């Protein structure tokens, strides 16, 4: 249920006039629609429209819209319209509305799991308190469920389901046809989905998603509206098997995304009419009003930031403090943790109560514990958390402190204390880092290559750039017991592409103008690989490109590649480590328009394996002057990745170094290794693509790894898993 202020007055009139004038436009063609079987298999054959008996004029309006679109046989889609008499909440007794198909009670936690809000919540609130659906919501849900039952027993492979207050954009047929073809190509047959959203509204703070093709994405959560969607016969059967519907149907179906194949068009092409009054009533509105979420000035930002700051957490050893730090990060805090002390500038500003601090949460910072009384005085609204034993003579009133024996029970108490809705991801479980010691700045004689920091994403996990801030440099420790994995050591001169070690990609990502194809990876008789970008008519892309990734995943180590980049503007040659859920990445990139420089880049998102965090697409790039043209000869590029530091080398020369929060935390989860060449959509990143210079080649002669392999612990990545939904490491359209 997307909550919005309806347009009124003159705007309603203008919208009505706009819809009527559209009859002058030429009819659309939608080849994804057609009859069942015969010469036209795998098409959308039926169109159900949910319509109340007392609103026949709405059915006429939808029929008029469908009459402007023709199917693969040239017949107007209005010929495929099947009216479904909507369940009418006014006509039926309330007691008979909710039956075996619908559980009329849901919770605030259900709502916030789909549409989380960063606004202030009251001091105490009950996430599990039952909220009863309105009679109108029950009737809407039952209408959709009744249609699902018809579809599940029909012969139609795909059916479009519409509510009767919609209209169709002029690009409807073209975009649906493009998406339909892309799904056919990716699925290897007819589209293999359960639900395909054509009408939706993303939640106010953004819907996490994975791109499946240029026109189709898979939502993780956060799509309102069920005004227009294609349902497969299998999808109808799966939804029916998941009943009862608990809460409003567009809320409940979001909670089925993880167990069904749900896809969505890149943008909604079936908008709701704004000149019609909605007959629905939203049961969540009073609750959201009571807790202060509804506001005319609510900002539309995807980056949730907490309102309860600052947070200080202390505790005994091995009580879950490192996990607590990750949990606070997942809630949007910029959290500094597990240190003996803070950098002098940060510590001074914190203890003096000055602005300009980098962090808003401090967990297990030993030097702060003697200053608890001072911190309470400087920050009267601060939140204090103690894990394990509380120190004697604690200068804080007990009722103002959250005390836990160990933080391992989940989100409930923490989120209630901080007045925040819990994220959908599980509470993290991390191995304790202990207290890391700051080390002095490196000697002045250690000179790195010249370069500059480029524009980067804004997120809670990127420290703001200031002249005084240089990150947190800690003494490097030996890998702990969490790295009891087998050591992977190999120096592969690529005389052949070992299928047990390497995988040639056959996918793409949104910012890539090409499809990766195994045929674009050429093994040379003398050893080494050529990664080729060439013109190719591949349906959803007009270019092919080459990419190789490791089958195994690694956690910390040294990674080297000897390669020669391409110098064609618009192309990117990359050597990098990457993972999704949550997205983390460490890059070496050379762009075709600037082969004299290297981009070192890091993406960081918090959480343990499976957490669906992916904020931003630029990362935090740094441009390094190489002093040579990387497209003229082979050079060796290396990444040394340690728990608290990353170092980049070119021909064994240290050119760039990052420590903690410089400006991101260090990626801390297993990643796969990749090398590729691809054409980017972003002219800002690599210049305008010069297609006349294609085919172009980036050559790889050697890849060496000395790293911790996680495969011995059953962490091997499956074919196609890692790059599915990979977004570009720089700007995209």
């Amino acid at each position: 249920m997307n909550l919005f202020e309806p347009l009124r007055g003159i705007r309603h009139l203008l919208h009505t006039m706009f819809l009527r004038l559209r009859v002058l436009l030429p009819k659309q063609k939608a080849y994804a629609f057609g009859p069942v079987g015969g010469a036209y298999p795998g098409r959308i054959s039926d169109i159900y429209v949910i319509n109340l008996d007392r609103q026949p004029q709405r059915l006429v309006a939808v029929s008029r819209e469908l009459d402007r679109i023709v199917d693969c046989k040239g017949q107007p889609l209005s010929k495929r319209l099947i009216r479904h008499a909507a369940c009418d909440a006014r006509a039926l007794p309330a007691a008979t509305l909710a039956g075996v198909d619908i559980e009329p009670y849901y919770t605030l936690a259900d709502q916030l799991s789909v549409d989380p809000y960063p606004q202030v919540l009251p001091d105490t609130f009950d996430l599990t308190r039952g909220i009863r659906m309105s009679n109108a919501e029950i009737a809407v849900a039952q209408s959709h469920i009744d249609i699902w039952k018809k579809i599940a027993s029909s012969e139609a492979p795909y059916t479009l389901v519409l509510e009767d207050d919609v209209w169709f954009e002029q690009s409807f047929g073209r975009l649906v046809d493009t998406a339909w073809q892309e799904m056919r190509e990716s699925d290897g047959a007819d589209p293999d989905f359960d639900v395909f959203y054509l009408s939706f509204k993303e939640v106010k703070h953004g819907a996490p998603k994975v791109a499946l093709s240029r026109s189709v994405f898979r939502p993780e959560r956060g799509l309102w509206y069920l005004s227009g969607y294609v349902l497969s016969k299998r999808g109808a059967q799966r939804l029916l098997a998941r009943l009862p519907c608990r809460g409003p149907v567009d809320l409940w179906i979001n909670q089925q995304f993880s167990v069904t194949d749900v896809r969505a068009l890149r943008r909604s092409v079936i908008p709701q009419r704004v000149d019609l009054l909605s007959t629905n009533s939203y049961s969540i509105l009073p609750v959201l009003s009571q807790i202060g979420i509804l506001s005319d000035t609510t900002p539309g930002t995807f980056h949730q930031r907490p309102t309860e700051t600052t947070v200080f957490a202390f505790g005994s050893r091995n009580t879950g403090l490192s996990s607590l730090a990750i949990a606070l990060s997942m809630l949007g805090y910029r959290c500094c943790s597990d240190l003996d002390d803070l950098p002098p500038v940060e510590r001074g500003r914190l203890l003096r109560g000055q602005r300009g601090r980098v962090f808003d949460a401090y967990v297990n910072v030993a030097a702060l514990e003697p200053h608890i009384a001072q911190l309470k005085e400087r920050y009267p609204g601060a939140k204090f958390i103690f894990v394990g034993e509380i120190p004697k003579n604690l200068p804080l009133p007990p009722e103002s402190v959250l005390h836990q024996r160990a933080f391992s029970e989940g989100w409930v108490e923490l989120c209630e204390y901080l007045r925040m809705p819990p994220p959908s991801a599980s509470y993290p479980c991390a191995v304790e880092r202990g207290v890391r010691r700051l080390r002095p700045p490196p000697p002045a004689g250690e000179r790195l290559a010249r370069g500059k920091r480029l524009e980067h994403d804004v997120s809670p996990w990127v420290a703001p750039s200031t002249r005084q801030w240089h990150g947190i440099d800690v003494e490097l420790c030996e890998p702990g017991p969490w790295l009891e994995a087998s050591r992977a050591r190999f120096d592969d001169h690529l005389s052949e592409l070992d299928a047990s070690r390497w995988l040639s990609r056959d996918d793409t990502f949104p910012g890539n103008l090409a499809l990766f194809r195994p045929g674009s990876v050429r093994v040379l008789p003398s050893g080494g690989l050529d990664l080729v970008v060439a013109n190719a008519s591949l349906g959803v892309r007009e270019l092919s490109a080459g990419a190789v990734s490791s089958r195994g995943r690694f956690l910390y180590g040294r990674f080297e590649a000897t390669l020669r980049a391409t110098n064609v503007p618009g192309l990117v040659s990359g050597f990098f480590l990457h993972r999704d859920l949550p997205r983390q990445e460490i890059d070496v990139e050379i762009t075709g328009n600037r082969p004299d420089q290297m981009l070192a880049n890091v993406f960081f998102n918090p959480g343990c394996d499976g957490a669906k965090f992916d904020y931003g697409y630029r990362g935090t790039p740094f441009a390094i002057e190489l002093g040579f043209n990387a497209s003229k000869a082979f050079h060796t590029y290396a990444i040394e990745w340690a728990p608290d530091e990353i170092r980049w080398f070119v021909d064994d020369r240290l050119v760039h170094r990052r420590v903690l929060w410089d400006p991101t935390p260090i990626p801390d989860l297993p990643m796969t290794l990749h090398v590729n060449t691809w054409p980017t959509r972003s002219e800002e990143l690599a210049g305008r693509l010069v297609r006349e210079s294609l085919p172009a080649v980036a050559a790889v002669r050697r890849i060496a790894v000395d790293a911790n392999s996680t495969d011995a612990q059953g962490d091997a990545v499956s074919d196609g898993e890692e790059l599915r939904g990979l977004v570009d490491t720089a700007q995209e359209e």
Side-chain angles (χ1 to χ4, degrees):
M1 71 214 68
N2 181 61
L3 308 175
F4 64 97
E5 183 69 17
L7 299 177
R8 293 175 182 169
I10 187 64
R11 298 173 72 183
H12 280 185
L13 177 61
L14 290 174
H15 184 73
T16 303
M17 292 175 60
F18 163 73
L19 293 179
R20 290 179 178 176
L21 289 173
R22 290 168 69 244
V23 299
L24 302 176
L25 296 174
K27 290 189 176 183
Q28 299 187 56
K29 296 180 180 179
Y31 294 104
F33 290 80
V36 176
Y40 306 94
R43 298 181 191 272
I44 307 166
S45 55
D46 294 339
I47 301 176
Y48 278 96
V49 178
I50 301 172
N51 174 244
L52 286 165
D53 291 338
R54 52 188 165 83
Q55 292 183 332
Q57 73 283 359
R58 291 196 176 192
L59 184 66
V60 172
V62 174
S63 180
R64 187 183 303 120
E65 287 287 313
L66 291 171
D67 201 46
R68 298 182 54 254
I69 310 169
V70 298
D71 64 15
C72 65
K73 295 189 68 176
Q75 295 295 314
L77 295 190
S78 56
K79 299 290 186 181
R80 304 194 169 279
L81 187 153
I82 304 171
R83 178 182 180 269
H84 176 80
C87 181
D88 193 342
R90 297 184 188 178
L92 295 175
T96 66
L97 282 173
V100 295
D101 295 333
I102 298 173
E103 166 55 55
Y105 287 92
Y106 65 108
T107 67
L108 179 59
D110 294 330
Q111 170 78 13
L112 296 178
S113 70
V114 174
D115 193 357
Y117 287 81
Q119 278 69 37
V120 178
L121 298 177
D123 289 331
T124 60
F125 62 96
D126 185 3
L127 285 173
T128 61
R129 187 184 69 183
I131 303 169
R132 192 185 190 281
M133 297 166 63
S134 68
N135 289 347
E137 288 172 328
I138 294 173
V140 169
Q142 191 63 59
S143 296
H144 282 273
I145 293 170
D146 289 342
I147 289 180
W148 300 348
K149 292 177 180 178
K150 293 179 179 179
I151 295 172
S153 60
S154 74
E155 297 300 320
Y158 310 98
T159 300
L160 175 63
V161 181
L162 299 172
E163 295 181 349
D164 63 3
D165 58 348
V166 299
W167 60 280
F168 295 80
E169 289 190 356
Q170 192 63 22
S171 59
F172 169 85
R174 175 176 56 84
L175 292 179
V176 171
D177 284 349
T178 299
W180 206 256
Q181 183 61 29
E182 288 176 8
M183 289 191 289
R184 275 182 169 153
E185 292 176 0
S186 63
D187 295 338
D190 291 336
D192 187 28
F193 62 83
D194 295 321
V195 183
F196 184 37
Y197 276 81
L198 303 182
S199 175
F200 59 90
K201 183 73 172 180
E202 290 191 19
V203 296
K204 191 173 289 290
H205 305 287
K209 59 179 71 72
V210 176
L212 300 181
S213 68
R214 185 174 182 178
S215 305
V216 180
F217 68 86
R218 174 174 288 124
E220 304 290 352
R221 63 158 179 80
L223 297 187
W224 293 132
Y225 294 170
L226 276 180
S227 302
Y229 59 97
V230 180
L231 186 63
S232 69
K233 180 174 181 177
R234 183 191 69 187
Q237 293 168 345
R238 285 185 171 178
L239 290 178
L240 292 173
R242 302 291 298 177
L243 295 177
C245 172
R246 186 171 183 263
V249 65
D250 57 346
L251 169 70
W252 176 82
I253 203 168
N254 272 262
Q255 296 164 344
Q256 314 312 311
F257 284 5
S258 62
V259 293
T260 52
D261 189 336
V262 177
R263 307 177 188 180
L265 201 60
R266 67 181 182 187
R267 66 179 180 85
S268 177
V269 291
I270 306 179
Q272 289 184 322
R273 293 182 60 164
V274 298
D275 57 343
L276 298 177
L277 295 177
S278 173
T279 59
N280 203 350
S281 59
Y282 299 104
S283 55
I284 195 66
L285 288 178
V287 181
L288 297 183
S289 298
Q290 289 170 5
I291 62 178
I293 281 181
L294 290 187
S295 169
D296 291 337
T297 59
T298 298
T301 172
F302 186 48
H303 304 298
Q304 294 189 48
R305 295 309 305 268
T307 57
E308 292 299 315
T309 58
T310 303
V311 174
F312 301 97
F314 306 93
S316 310
R317 294 184 60 184
N318 300 319
T319 53
L321 288 170
S322 294
S323 296
L324 174 60
I326 296 173
L328 290 172
S329 294
M330 294 168 70
L331 292 173
Y333 283 90
R334 188 172 291 141
C335 182
C336 175
S337 68
D338 301 307
L339 298 170
D340 66 336
D341 202 351
L342 297 173
V345 172
E346 181 77 4
R347 182 185 60 215
R349 289 176 175 171
L350 177 66
L351 294 179
R352 291 191 295 268
Q354 294 177 329
R355 295 182 178 181
R357 293 180 289 111
V358 173
F359 302 102
D360 45 31
Y362 305 83
V363 176
N364 195 28
V365 180
L368 296 182
E369 194 161 353
H371 301 282
I372 290 176
Q374 182 180 356
L375 294 172
K376 179 62 177 176
E377 180 181 353
R378 297 290 189 196
Y379 307 95
K383 297 291 187 177
F384 288 84
I385 301 171
F386 286 86
V387 187
E389 297 298 326
I390 292 184
K392 295 180 179 179
N393 303 319
L394 183 68
L396 297 172
E399 63 274 8
S400 69
V401 175
L402 176 61
H403 176 219
Q404 287 286 300
R405 292 292 177 185
F407 253 111
S408 59
E409 301 303 320
W411 292 107
V412 175
E413 286 188 293
L414 177 64
C415 290
E416 288 184 354
Y417 181 62
L418 298 177
R419 300 191 295 183
M420 296 188 70
S424 58
S426 300
Y427 188 87
C429 180
V431 174
E432 293 293 284
R433 298 189 185 101
V435 174
R436 297 169 288 185
R437 296 183 57 186
L438 296 185
R439 63 179 177 182
E446 184 182 65
R447 299 187 60 183
L448 304 180
R450 295 178 59 186
K452 64 178 180 179
R453 183 167 293 176
L454 304 180
E455 184 179 1
H456 60 73
D457 293 321
V458 176
S459 85
W461 315 299
V462 179
S465 300
T466 65
R467 292 183 178 180
Q468 296 82 14
W469 183 253
H470 304 288
I472 300 175
D473 198 356
V474 300
E475 292 184 357
L476 297 182
C477 59
E478 293 297 323
W482 66 93
L483 289 180
E484 294 177 355
S486 61
R487 192 75 175 178
R489 292 185 177 91
F490 59 82
D491 193 342
D492 194 339
H493 289 262
L494 305 169
S495 58
E496 62 178 354
L497 197 62
D498 185 345
S500 66
R501 178 177 291 164
W502 304 112
L503 172 69
S504 293
R505 306 306 313 183
D506 61 354
D507 43 28
T508 189
F509 51 89
N512 186 357
L513 289 170
L515 285 174
F516 290 130
R517 284 293 178 260
S520 298
V521 179
R522 300 176 183 172
V523 181
L524 304 180
S526 58
L529 307 175
D530 278 355
L531 306 178
V532 184
V533 178
N535 291 297
S537 182
L538 300 172
V540 295
R541 299 287 196 276
E542 297 300 321
L543 299 167
S544 62
V548 171
S549 64
S550 65
R551 290 191 178 274
R553 297 202 289 182
F554 308 99
L555 180 60
Y556 309 130
R558 181 179 173 92
F559 308 86
E560 291 185 6
T562 301
L563 59 88
R564 184 184 64 220
T566 179
N567 64 352
V568 175
L571 300 187
V572 179
S573 303
F575 172 62
F576 59 101
L577 293 140
H578 170 87
R579 67 163 290 116
D580 283 317
L581 303 177
R583 183 183 180 187
Q584 296 184 359
E585 191 169 323
I586 304 172
D587 293 340
V588 168
E589 289 183 319
I590 299 169
T591 61
N593 65 330
R594 288 297 307 273
D596 60 334
Q597 71 176 14
M598 181 188 89
L599 298 181
N601 202 353
V602 172
F603 292 77
F604 178 85
N605 290 274
C608 294
D609 199 26
K612 298 171 183 177
F613 286 89
D614 185 358
Y615 287 3
Y617 54 88
R618 290 190 191 94
T620 52
F622 190 88
I624 298 163
E625 296 183 16
L626 290 173
F628 57 80
N629 188 326
S631 69
K632 299 298 184 182
F634 286 94
H635 295 271
T636 298
Y637 306 86
I639 298 169
E640 284 189 356
W641 172 31
D644 302 313
E645 180 183 64
I646 306 171
R647 295 154 66 95
W648 286 261
F649 295 81
V650 177
D651 295 330
D652 291 326
R653 177 194 170 201
L654 178 65
V655 296
H656 188 56
R657 175 175 179 262
R658 294 198 190 185
V659 296
L660 296 171
W661 291 101
D662 182 25
T664 68
I666 302 299
D668 57 356
L669 295 172
M671 296 192 278
T672 49
L673 183 65
H674 304 262
V675 59
N676 63 18
T677 303
W678 53 281
T680 175
R681 297 185 185 277
S682 172
E683 294 184 12
E684 182 179 349
L685 171 63
R688 185 175 183 179
L689 177 63
V690 181
R691 298 188 62 155
E692 295 79 10
S693 298
L694 301 180
V697 175
V700 185
R701 292 296 177 264
R702 169 181 168 269
I703 300 177
V705 170
D706 183 358
N708 297 292
S709 169
T710 61
D711 295 335
Q713 298 174 348
D715 236 348
V717 66
S718 62
D719 291 5
E721 173 188 345
E722 190 62 36
L723 278 188
R724 196 66 64 181
L726 174 65
V727 297
D728 36 333
T729 54
Q731 289 191 8
E732 63 185 51
E733 288 185 340

